[in-house]
């Protein structure tokens, strides 16, 4: 197996460093989709690479070699992957499996709670649900099937903004619900669980979906500076409202990006960036091709190891009967062709 | 791909938003108001009859109460029960910041002090009222 098996890890690291910055330079809807697609490709190919590295060691186990009908010894000699690397890959895969299950379970539970809260409101309440509280609070609650999503806003928030700014707020939260941004964020969390090198992805997707909703709101009210003003006013009013615990500071990613969002709104409609999109798509394709190449290499390695396979009576199982029979025929022909 | 990004191709007011906006006005003002006052608060963006029919719809859904005024017609106020109902339904979500970070999309999050000054400047530079 050549160096190419490590290419997805390099691609992941590269995407982690440059992806969020590139995605921020295009319309946020495009940026979100592109970054998630690239992240998914990197995560899947990295998993494949880890599996290939792990396979070189697992393939040497006598039982596995017998079932697969290849020579464990020959695999050991032909394989450039050190046992330490392979062991690390196995350990990493196990950790990733745990992280994936944990992330998926946590997200499912949070979504279930949101849907439950939404269902408790009943069909009588409209989309806007008002909390009679002075706290500055506004958020969108995603809906389950056959339910409507809710926009929960405190009276504190409603009284902070004027009528036009409230329209911005409602349009912003509506955009989150219409585009189902919680799905993008969940996918980002799962991608990072599968590929820890992509750790910056969830924060980037969080920011991009906020920007997406801002752009939608600006289009709805047809006024970018009004949208920026609503955002700035709400953020300033909320500044003393929340004393974040250290834990929520870690988990709540959108913390300091309000100024960035305001500036982006004031900077004008984001340009489409066909060149960046093309370059990223090309990089993505290269990544997938290299993964296929690494898969091929491994197949060849095991193919070569198969030639060194000698069936031993104990090693013959139902799965290898066919192989064994074939080998016996070959050996018979070699001796003198008579039974 | 991103049909809603400033192409002007988006309808000015998505369906369902009208009721939300009128209800938001009633809550923001926090006292019984006439349809004319609601219309004024919305900056005359809506026709009087539109405001009227929206208020009637909200009344039918029991989301607002109305009381006759001295000059005839009605004054409208939001139903307090509804807000308490909302608070009860959302308690669990409001208590769990972890879930909010993951699932709920919030309008703004709190600011570090250095960003505060920046936003103040932006707000004033934009000539915000």
């Amino acid at each position: 197996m050549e160096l190419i098996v490590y290419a997805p890890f390099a691609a992941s690291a590269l995407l982690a460093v440059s992806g969020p910055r590139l995605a921020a330079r295009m319309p946020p809807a495009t940026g979100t989709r592109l970054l998630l697609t690239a992240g998914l490709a990197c995560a899947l190919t990295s998993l494949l690479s880890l599996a290939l590295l792990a396979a070189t060691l697992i393939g040497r186990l006598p039982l596995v070699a017998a079932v697969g009908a290849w020579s464990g010894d020959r695999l050991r000699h032909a394989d450039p992957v050190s046992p330490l690397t392979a062991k690390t890959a196995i350990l990493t895969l196990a950790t990733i499996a745990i992280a994936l299950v944990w992330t998926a379970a946590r997200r499912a539970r949070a979504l279930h709670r949101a849907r439950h809260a939404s269902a408790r409101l009943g069909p009588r309440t409209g989309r806007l649900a008002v909390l009679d509280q002075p706290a500055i609070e506004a958020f969108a609650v995603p809906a389950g099937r056959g339910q409507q999503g809710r926009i929960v806003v405190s009276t504190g928030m409603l009284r902070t903004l004027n009528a036009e700014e409230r329209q911005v707020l409602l349009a912003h939260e509506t955009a989150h619900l219409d585009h189902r941004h919680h799905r993008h964020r969940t996918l980002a969390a799962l991608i990072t669980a599968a590929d820890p090198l992509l750790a910056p992805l969830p924060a980037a997707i969080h920011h991009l979906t906020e920007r997406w909703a801002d752009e939608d709101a600006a289009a709805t009210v047809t006024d970018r500076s009004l949208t920026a003003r609503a955002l700035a006013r709400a953020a300033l009013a909320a500044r003393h409202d929340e004393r974040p615990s250290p834990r929520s500071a870690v988990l709540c990613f959108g913390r300091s990006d309000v100024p960035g969002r305001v500036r982006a709104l004031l900077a004008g409609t984001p340009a489409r960036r066909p060149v960046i999109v093309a370059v990223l798509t090309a990089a993505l394709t290269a990544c997938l091709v290299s993964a296929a190449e690494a898969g091929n290499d491994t197949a060849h390695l095991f193919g070569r190891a198969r030639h060194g396979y000698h069936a031993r009576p104990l090693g013959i199982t139902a799965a290898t009967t066919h192989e064994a029979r074939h080998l016996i025929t070959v050996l018979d022909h070699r001796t003198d062709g008579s039974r | 791909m991103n049909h809603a990004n400033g192409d002007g191709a988006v309808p000015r007011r998505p369906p369902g938003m009208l009721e939300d906006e009128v209800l938001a006005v009633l809550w923001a003002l926090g006292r019984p108001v006439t349809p004319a006052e609601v219309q004024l608060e919305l900056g005359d963006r809506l026709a009087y009859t539109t405001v009227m029919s929206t208020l009637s719809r909200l009344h039918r859904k029991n989301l607002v109460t109305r009381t006759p005024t001295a000059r005839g017609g009605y004054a409208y106020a939001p139903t307090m029960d509804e807000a308490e109902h909302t608070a009860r339904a959302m308690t669990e979500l409001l208590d769990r910041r972890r879930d909010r970070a993951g699932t709920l999309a919030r309008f703004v999050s709190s600011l570090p002090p250095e960003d505060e000054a920046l936003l103040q400047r932006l707000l004033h530079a934009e000539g915000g009222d």
Side-chain angles (χ1 to χ4, degrees):
Chain A
M1 209 170 331
E2 306 300 327
L3 271 175
I4 204 153
V5 77
Y6 303 103
F9 307 139
S12 296
L14 203 63
L15 184 68
V17 172
S18 61
R21 232 170 296 168
L22 289 176
R25 292 179 58 188
M26 53 184 82
T30 314
T32 305
R33 288 171 183 141
L34 200 58
L35 193 56
L36 280 177
T37 311
L40 195 62
C42 281
L44 290 177
T45 49
S46 293
L47 281 180
L48 178 67
S49 280
L50 284 172
L52 295 177
L53 289 170
T56 57
L57 191 64
I58 293 172
R60 291 178 207 169
L61 298 175
L63 185 67
V64 178
V67 172
W70 55 68
S71 158
D73 283 340
R74 202 168 264 222
L75 203 55
R76 180 163 33 244
H77 293 310
D79 185 11
V81 179
S82 77
L84 181 68
T85 311
K87 276 178 195 156
T88 311
I90 292 169
L91 207 65
T92 311
L93 275 176
T95 316
I96 284 171
I98 294 167
L100 267 176
V101 169
W102 190 72
T103 307
R106 207 166 56 100
R107 290 284 162 156
R109 207 171 49 225
L111 199 59
H112 174 76
R113 279 204 195 96
R115 286 176 177 170
H116 180 70
S118 226
R120 273 185 68 190
L121 282 177
R124 197 163 56 101
T125 311
R127 210 183 34 170
L128 174 68
V130 177
L131 289 166
D132 194 9
Q133 290 169 4
I136 309 294
E137 185 68 85
F139 54 87
V141 185
R145 201 166 295 167
Q147 275 184 341
Q148 67 171 343
R150 311 282 182 163
I151 299 168
V152 182
V153 188
S154 68
T155 46
M157 177 69 95
L158 291 176
R159 284 169 193 160
T160 297
L161 307 175
N162 66 30
E164 282 184 309
E165 292 163 350
R166 283 196 293 270
Q167 205 191 346
V168 171
L169 165 69
L170 292 174
H172 174 102
E173 298 301 340
T174 301
H176 279 318
L177 293 178
D178 286 354
H179 299 300
R180 299 177 175 278
H181 284 159
H182 65 281
R183 288 190 182 175
H184 297 95
R185 293 177 182 184
T186 300
L187 182 58
L190 290 172
I191 288 172
T192 300
D195 187 349
L197 287 171
L198 292 174
L201 202 67
I205 292 298
H206 189 107
H207 178 73
L208 282 167
T209 45
E210 287 302 336
R211 283 272 308 118
W212 186 344
D214 289 344
E215 288 295 328
D216 259 27
T220 304
V221 301
T222 59
D223 189 342
R224 298 185 73 85
S225 63
L226 167 66
T227 310
R229 214 154 57 225
L231 203 55
R233 202 185 302 286
L236 284 172
R239 67 193 184 276
H240 298 307
D241 205 51
E242 188 171 321
R243 268 168 213 88
S245 67
R247 186 178 231 179
S248 75
V250 172
L251 289 159
C252 195
F253 292 107
R255 198 140 292 275
S256 64
D257 58 13
V258 174
R261 285 162 63 192
V262 169
R263 253 183 306 223
L265 281 165
L266 294 178
T269 311
R272 288 157 201 281
R273 305 277 185 172
V275 176
I276 298 182
V277 175
V279 167
L280 273 175
T281 311
L284 215 66
T285 314
C287 186
L288 291 170
V289 168
S290 68
E293 193 61 34
N296 243 349
D297 281 357
T298 314
H300 277 298
L301 185 69
F302 278 85
R304 266 179 280 140
R306 266 194 183 199
H307 289 301
Y309 175 70
H310 300 288
R312 279 170 293 177
L314 268 175
I316 296 174
T317 63
T320 59
T321 322
H322 176 77
E323 286 290 332
R325 219 173 267 151
H326 174 73
L327 273 167
I328 289 165
T329 326
V330 171
L331 287 171
D332 282 350
H333 275 287
R334 268 192 201 163
T335 42
D336 63 352
S338 65
R339 264 178 184 255
Chain B
M1 200 172 196
N2 44 337
H3 59 282
N5 283 328
D7 300 352
V10 177
R12 188 160 158 73
R13 203 180 302 273
M17 207 157 144
L18 207 57
E19 283 180 35
D20 294 346
E21 272 187 68
V22 171
L23 192 62
V25 166
L26 294 182
W27 275 106
L29 294 177
R31 58 183 167 84
V33 286
T34 62
E37 283 177 290
V38 173
Q39 192 196 8
L40 189 68
E41 171 71 14
L42 284 171
D44 285 326
R45 280 181 290 123
L46 302 176
Y48 182 81
T49 48
T50 312
V51 175
M52 230 9 263
S53 61
T54 309
L55 282 168
S56 303
R57 265 205 308 282
L58 288 170
H59 182 248
R60 268 203 303 280
K61 289 183 180 174
N62 214 15
L63 294 171
V64 302
T65 54
R66 65 180 189 192
T67 45
T69 59
R71 281 186 237 158
Y74 291 101
Y76 294 82
T79 315
M80 298 304 283
D81 295 355
E82 202 52 39
E84 278 165 31
H85 182 47
T86 302
R88 274 199 304 277
M90 292 291 157
T91 313
E92 206 185 3
L93 289 187
L94 289 166
D95 289 347
R96 286 179 183 272
R97 290 184 195 281
R98 284 159 62 94
D99 289 1
R100 272 196 284 174
T103 323
L104 308 181
R106 303 180 71 199
F107 189 49
V108 290
S109 44
S110 60
L111 290 172
E114 62 271 22
D115 288 348
E116 198 176 313
L118 181 72
L119 281 187
Q120 292 280 17
R121 271 206 307 283
L122 286 168
L123 209 53
H124 289 303
E126 270 300 300
D129 41 357

